[in-house]
Every structure is written in C-alpha cells, then in structure tokens.
Amino acid sequence: MHTQSIKQIISHTIESNHLFSKNEKILVALSGGIDSVVLTYILHTLGYSIAIAHCNFHLRGEESNRDEEFVQNFAKTHNLMLHCTEFNTEEYAKSHSLSIEMAARELRYAWFNELCAQYNYSKIVVAHNANDSIETFFINLLRGTGIKGLQGIPLQNGNIVRPMLSVWRNEIESYATQTGLDFCFDSTNATLDFVRNNIRLTILPELQKINAHAPQAIFNTIENLNKYYTLSQPYIDTLCEQLCKETPYGMCIDETAVQQHEFPENVLYEILNRYGFNAAQVQQIFTCFSQQAGKQFFSPTHAAFHDRNVLYIVPQETSQNFPTEIILNELPQQSVIIPQGELKFGFGSAQPPTSVVERRLLSGAEVSRNDILEITFTQNQLSTTAQFNTEKLQFPLTLRPWKAGDRIRLQGIKGSKKVSDVLIDAKVPRHYKNKVWVMESADEIVWVIGYRQV
C-alpha cells in the first residue's frame, strides 16, 4: 500500500511529528510478536538509543515463558538493554474488578512509567500499526462513541508514541520475511474469543469482499475524523468555558444552560469525556438533569454529583486519614490541614507569628484590644480570611467536623442559628457538606470554617 519501505515510513513519521530524537533515551515495549520485533529492529538500525521492556503476564502458560526467553535472546543478540518483569494478571484483574485486557494495560504502563522515571527514558514506544487503529475504530463504534472515539489510536498520548501507525500488517510481515527476523506467534490471536480478533478475522475480510480497498478507505476516514475533531476543538473549548466554572466545591456545570444548547447530550459528552466519563455514563447523567438531586456517578479519575440543577465534577479522593478533631493549645506556626483545605494562622498579615510574645497572646497572657487573629482558609486554590478579636477567644481551640444539632451565635441575630441552616443559606452542595469543619473556643462554635463566624 506504500511505495516507500516501512523503514522510511517510520523514520519520516518520527521526524515529521517530532516524536523523539537520536539524543533521547527511549523505551520500546517488546512482546516478542512480529509487530514489536520489526519496530525494535528498525529503530535499532536507524541509530536510536533504545532499551527494551518486556512483561510476562502469565496468561498463556508455557507460551508466556517462551516469549520472555525469546526477548532475552533478542536483546543479547543486538546488545540492547533489557528490562523484564512478571505479573499475576488474573489476580490483579479480580482484585480490581477489571477485565484481563484492562488489567494487563494498567500493569504494563504503570511499570513502563516507573522505568522512565528510574532510567530517564523520555518516551515509551509501542508497536501499534494501521490495522490496529482500524480495529480500535470498530471496537469504539460498537460501544457507541463520539468523534474522539472514532479517531482510532493516537500517534502520541503523553509520553507514549506509536511511530508505526501508518504501516500495514502485511507490510510488516513482508519486511520480517525479507530480513529473516524471527518472532513469536501468540496463539490467542487466532481465536474468536476477543472482540478485536472477531473484527480482524471476520468483519474486515467481509468488508474487503465488497471493497478490496476497504482498510485504506476506513483508515482515510479515521484521518479525516482526526482533522475534523482538531478543527472543532476551539469551539468546544470556548463552550466548556461558558458552561463550566471553578468553585470551592469542584468544577460546576450549569445543567439548564447545557439543556438549552441545540445538541445538549453532545455538549455534555465533550465536557465529561475529558474527566474520564464514557458515553453510557454521560447518557445516564443527562437523564438525571431536572430530576431530584443526589445522584452520583464515577469515572476512573473523577466523581460527578447532581445537585440543584448543577453538576459538580471533582477528582476522586485519595485515601487520607484525618483525625476526628484537632486541638490547638497555642497558635500553630505551620499550616493545619483539614478535609476542607488548609488553615494558616497569623496576626494582621495572615502569616504565622514568629515571636514568643505573639504566641503567648492567645495562651492566657495579657491581650491588647488591637490584637486581631487572622486565619486564612484555602480550598481548591481559593482563599478567604476570617478575623477574630483575641479578647473573645480562649485556648485551646478545637477544630472538628460539624454535626447535627450544632449551633453558632451570629452578629445581628438573636440567640443562635443551626450550622445546618448556615450551610443551606450558603447553598453548600450535598456532596461537600460532610467535609465542613467548625472551630470551637470555650466549647462554643465561633466559626463554620469557610462560611460564618461570630
């Protein structure tokens, strides 16, 4: 399908797209199969500084061990640096509720990135080809997707690059035969147990009966979709800026504004897909618009909360153990971290006091009427400062989560007000309320942190 040799095509792809240079150290994923063997061999003969990484997933019995041995011999023959590892892929998939394919993907790329950090490899090179991109196109088509999902496999995704994407599988096979390269055959590629194999062995051959040049036509369509997607991005970016805004509670999407757009579901997909939500989830989220608040949705990286005609998008929280309360016997010189954010204490300038005299002012020593304690509260890169007359504070101060029945005395209000009502008045969304803490002095709440103070 090309007049150039695949060696020329790969070299041109690397140079024209600035994937990497000969001055960089790169890591090549070598499974032992024909694609990765040919790519590794070509990169080596082109003079690139490469090392090899091989994963034994222990999924094919003796075949997996055979592949590892082949890669070891290949590295030795060509005097290449080799990194090998092995995984209990089935156990990992089960413990993380993943398919075998997704488990293997997570394991190998996590390990590849560890190697990059340890050995200063700038890129991870994988051997996907034009046929792989077409198969991915059909996989995503069958799942239901937008234009982004119909772009096949990207040439570059972060530090992962694919310089063989314009090369066809039959060209790879011809090159291996001509150069006498040995490789390993994966017996699972011949079964119809996987969607990708069904597409390769069943669907594409049938399409070629209709049009002998079907693979090239589909590949051209993928390239056109890439261009249209790139062309549409400035409009989509502008639309996202109009419909989304950063708040202390996460990224906030105006549901009403989305619904008023001519293509509301498409708009919502373009926004949420950036946070890892798939097409099926986006449809479920769109369906809950204008309904009762409270529904939650989760992508691998983010959570979406439907609340009062808006949708909040927040990163999935990493497991962090916070104390049930924090007792401050004196003014802290360092920041105090609570689930809501960060607190910094100081006098008049929001800076921690440096003198012993300043620290003693709130520890029972004499206090001047001009002493104002400032506490700067920062959450999601947004900061507010609360001010307290030190005459009205008494150490120790207690920081803790608010609870039902808590009350605070506010200026201009007779008696006290429920903290729950303070949060309602402030329109604090449901998903955030359990993060709110209060500050107590002499067993009385003096500050609903981030909201109201005495």
Side-chain angles (χ1 to χ4, degrees):
M1 295 182 183
H2 292 291
T3 56
Q4 292 177 299
S5 72
I6 68 170
K7 189 173 181 178
Q8 290 173 314
I9 295 168
I10 290 171
S11 178
H12 176 73
T13 300
I14 294 170
E15 293 175 7
S16 61
N17 293 282
H18 309 290
L19 298 184
F20 47 81
S21 70
K22 291 183 178 178
N23 296 324
E24 296 178 67
K25 291 171 61 181
I26 60 176
L27 184 68
V28 184
L30 179 59
S31 66
I34 186 171
D35 298 343
S36 61
V37 166
V38 167
L39 178 58
T40 305
Y41 179 79
I42 288 176
L43 293 176
H44 182 52
T45 58
L46 286 172
Y48 287 99
S49 177
I50 67 173
I52 298 170
H54 176 78
C55 304
N56 186 338
F57 295 105
H58 290 291
L59 294 172
R60 294 179 288 118
E62 190 52 41
E63 265 192 21
S64 294
N65 297 328
R66 176 211 63 189
D67 292 353
E68 182 176 344
E69 184 179 352
F70 171 85
V71 170
Q72 289 172 344
N73 291 332
F74 183 94
K76 186 175 181 180
T77 299
H78 298 284
N79 195 29
L80 295 172
M81 176 74 172
L82 172 64
H83 305 281
C84 274
T85 192
E86 56 184 335
F87 300 109
N88 188 333
T89 314
E90 291 181 342
E91 181 180 311
Y92 182 87
K94 184 178 180 180
S95 63
H96 291 77
S97 300
L98 296 171
S99 67
I100 291 293
E101 185 179 21
M102 287 304 299
R105 176 182 172 81
E106 281 192 11
L107 288 167
R108 69 174 173 268
Y109 281 114
W111 181 59
F112 290 162
N113 283 313
E114 288 174 10
L115 291 176
C116 288
Q118 185 176 355
Y119 294 94
N120 295 317
Y121 299 124
S122 61
K123 298 291 190 303
I124 300 166
V125 182
V126 291
H128 291 125
N129 57 51
N131 297 75
D132 293 321
S133 194
I134 289 174
E135 291 159 13
T136 299
F137 168 89
F138 277 102
I139 289 171
N140 290 336
L141 182 67
L142 292 170
R143 288 173 178 165
T145 185
I147 294 178
K148 184 178 180 181
L150 296 177
Q151 294 179 92
I153 302 174
L155 182 66
Q156 182 167 0
N157 184 12
N159 65 338
I160 302 169
V161 295
R162 302 174 176 89
M164 204 157 64
L165 270 184
S166 296
V167 179
W168 295 91
R169 188 168 288 128
N170 63 340
E171 294 173 318
I172 296 169
E173 292 168 352
S174 296
Y175 183 88
T177 300
Q178 292 167 10
T179 54
L181 284 175
D182 290 328
F183 55 90
C184 297
F185 178 74
D186 183 346
S187 61
T188 62
N189 287 336
T191 70
L192 297 179
D193 296 337
F194 302 99
V195 174
R196 185 176 293 276
N197 290 358
N198 258 302
I199 292 168
R200 183 177 69 252
L201 300 174
T202 305
I203 295 176
L204 289 175
E206 288 299 317
L207 290 175
Q208 284 179 281
K209 290 178 182 178
I210 301 171
N211 176 2
H213 303 292
Q216 184 66 61
I218 297 167
F219 190 80
N220 293 343
T221 298
I222 291 172
E223 290 195 320
N224 286 333
L225 288 169
N226 271 312
K227 293 171 184 175
Y228 280 117
Y229 183 78
T230 302
L231 188 64
S232 69
Q233 285 312 290
Y235 170 74
I236 292 171
D237 290 341
T238 300
L239 201 58
C240 288
E241 290 178 8
Q242 293 171 350
L243 299 175
C244 307
K245 66 178 180 179
E246 286 286 355
T247 74
Y249 316 119
M251 177 68 72
C252 178
I253 301 171
D254 186 335
E255 294 178 0
T256 303
V258 170
Q259 289 173 307
Q260 290 173 348
H261 193 276
E262 185 178 4
F263 307 106
E265 287 189 63
N266 303 80
V267 169
L268 187 63
Y269 175 83
E270 291 296 338
I271 296 172
L272 295 183
N273 187 248
R274 300 180 178 197
Y275 300 98
F277 294 93
N278 60 39
Q281 289 176 307
V282 172
Q283 189 174 29
Q284 292 172 354
I285 292 170
F286 183 75
T287 302
C288 85
F289 281 11
S290 302
Q291 296 181 3
Q292 186 175 357
K295 289 194 175 180
Q296 305 175 17
F297 305 87
F298 299 92
S299 78
T301 58
H302 286 76
F305 300 94
H306 174 233
D307 188 272
R308 298 188 184 116
N309 294 321
V310 296
L311 188 73
Y312 290 101
I313 309 297
V314 298
Q316 290 270 34
E317 293 183 351
T318 55
S319 56
Q320 186 172 356
N321 294 321
F322 288 99
T324 55
E325 67 176 14
I326 298 173
I327 306 296
L328 302 178
N329 292 309
E330 63 176 3
L331 204 61
Q333 291 184 281
Q334 296 182 343
S335 300
V336 175
I337 305 299
I338 61 175
Q340 275 178 274
E342 179 184 32
L343 298 169
K344 290 185 178 180
F345 296 74
F347 279 94
S349 63
Q351 296 297 320
T354 55
S355 72
V356 174
V357 173
E358 283 181 322
R359 288 199 300 275
R360 289 182 61 230
L361 282 172
L362 289 173
S363 304
E366 50 186 311
V367 179
S368 166
R369 290 183 181 274
N370 295 323
D371 288 320
I372 300 297
L373 171 65
E374 289 191 349
I375 308 177
T376 299
F377 169 57
T378 303
Q379 57 177 341
N380 296 333
Q381 300 180 339
L382 301 174
S383 297
T384 58
T385 299
Q387 295 184 329
F388 298 90
N389 187 320
T390 54
E391 281 188 316
K392 298 180 180 180
L393 291 180
Q394 180 179 332
F395 270 60
L397 300 177
T398 301
L399 307 176
R400 63 166 177 83
W402 78 280
K403 59 181 183 289
D406 279 344
R407 306 187 73 91
I408 182 172
R409 298 181 185 277
L410 302 173
Q411 289 183 359
I413 296 178
K414 186 177 181 181
S416 62
K417 186 169 186 174
K418 288 183 178 179
V419 170
S420 59
D421 290 337
V422 171
L423 300 181
I424 290 172
D425 292 346
K427 296 182 179 179
V428 179
R430 296 185 181 191
H431 75 274
Y432 192 84
K433 284 183 178 178
N434 62 355
K435 286 186 175 182
V436 176
W437 277 36
V438 295
M439 185 173 80
E440 289 182 333
S441 172
D443 295 325
E444 285 197 10
I445 294 175
V446 294
W447 186 23
V448 180
I449 298 175
Y451 301 98
R452 298 292 299 270
Q453 65 180 88
V454 294

